[in-house]
Amino acid sequence: SIDVVAKKVRLAPGFQPHAHDVSYDQLVLAPGTVTDFRGLPGLPEHALPFKNLADALALRSRVIHALDEADIEDDDRELRRQLLTFVVAGGGFSGVEVVAELNDFVRHVARSYPGIRPDELRVVLVHAGDRILPEVPERLGLYAQRLLQKRGVELRLGARLASASGDRAVLSDGVVIPTKTLVSTIPSSPHPLVDALPLPKARGGKLRVDRHLQIEGADALWALGDCA
């Protein structure tokens, strides 16, 4: 926790965590955001997050597992479709990076499976906006779209991920995508540490800062990254 009045940060370090207060003169806050699945049924149980290296390794293992199973699945055609369909929700920086790497990985590794045809593979990017990468100029965003589509990625624009189960992703426009692998790079919310601070916040709960990244109205507090 942080006491901005007393200028103290409370930590819990060591093999046997215990409260430990550290005074500060200047404090830089950069805890990022956390995944927030509130209001999205099924996502906590069935969507894979993508926040760190462990998440990337888990996704890699899931893809290999799905391909292993699909390679020998001859009886259940619907299950085979689910295994060979990979969905990424969120067309921002994280989602685009994930779907690009995922698409390349899936199509490269699938060559090692004699029972899987290239045309059976389906990689889908779902994004609520009318184009991906809203953080960059329109020209660059559209260029990225064309490049992804050229490489075989299917874009579902203008629709959000509404819910999920173990074998499908349901979009806000009613479209149902059968899949066993769903990656969510959205939504995110402020870190609980930031949420608890009595400091000025912008829309979405992020800390409001000036052009020097100093928190408005605070002479010893700064914030940067996804929390600001």
Side-chain angles (χ1 to χ4, degrees):
S1 62
I2 300 171
D3 186 336
V4 296
V5 177
K7 290 189 175 182
K8 288 182 182 293
V9 176
R10 173 156 290 186
L11 309 173
F15 291 99
Q16 293 181 330
H18 60 282
H20 185 64
D21 290 339
V22 177
S23 299
Y24 66 83
D25 295 314
Q26 302 286 329
L27 179 64
V28 179
L29 295 167
T33 56
V34 295
T35 302
D36 181 11
F37 287 140
R38 286 176 296 183
L40 298 172
L43 265 69
E45 298 84 5
H46 304 293
L48 298 173
F50 202 90
K51 288 286 186 183
N52 52 46
L53 182 58
D55 293 338
L57 293 173
L59 176 57
R60 180 179 184 274
S61 297
R62 172 71 71 91
V63 170
I64 293 173
H65 186 183
L67 294 175
D68 282 344
E69 190 171 339
D71 187 46
I72 59 173
E73 180 55 62
D74 296 324
D75 300 325
D76 191 333
R77 294 180 63 85
E78 182 61 21
L79 174 59
R80 186 178 175 89
R81 284 181 60 205
Q82 295 166 1
L83 291 167
L84 295 176
T85 300
F86 306 89
V87 179
V88 176
F93 283 132
S94 297
V96 170
E97 289 173 2
V98 171
V99 81
E101 291 289 344
L102 177 62
N103 183 63
D104 289 349
F105 181 73
V106 165
R107 297 186 186 281
H108 175 73
V109 175
R111 298 172 190 166
S112 301
Y113 294 88
I116 297 176
R117 303 190 314 273
D119 63 307
E120 292 184 284
L121 299 171
R122 187 182 180 195
V123 180
V124 185
L125 177 62
V126 178
H127 182 57
D130 57 359
R131 69 171 178 90
I132 63 172
L133 294 174
E135 302 93 340
V136 304
E138 183 177 3
R139 180 176 58 86
L140 292 178
L142 294 176
Y143 172 77
Q145 279 187 197
R146 292 192 297 270
L147 193 59
L148 286 176
Q149 290 174 313
K150 184 178 179 181
R151 293 184 176 182
V153 175
E154 178 184 335
L155 299 181
R156 285 279 179 177
L157 302 177
R160 299 177 183 274
L161 183 61
S163 65
S165 68
D167 53 18
R168 66 178 186 168
V170 180
L171 309 188
S172 58
D173 59 2
V175 171
V176 177
I177 304 175
T179 181
K180 288 290 187 182
T181 305
L182 170 63
V183 184
S184 176
T185 62
I186 53 95
S188 61
S189 63
H191 192 283
L193 188 66
V194 169
D195 204 32
L197 293 175
L199 297 171
K201 298 183 178 74
R203 195 174 112 189
K206 296 186 177 186
L207 293 166
R208 192 182 295 278
V209 299
D210 63 18
R211 64 193 184 96
H212 302 294
L213 301 182
Q214 186 170 16
I215 297 176
E216 291 183 359
D219 60 356
L221 292 169
W222 313 75
L224 53 89
D226 288 345
C227 74

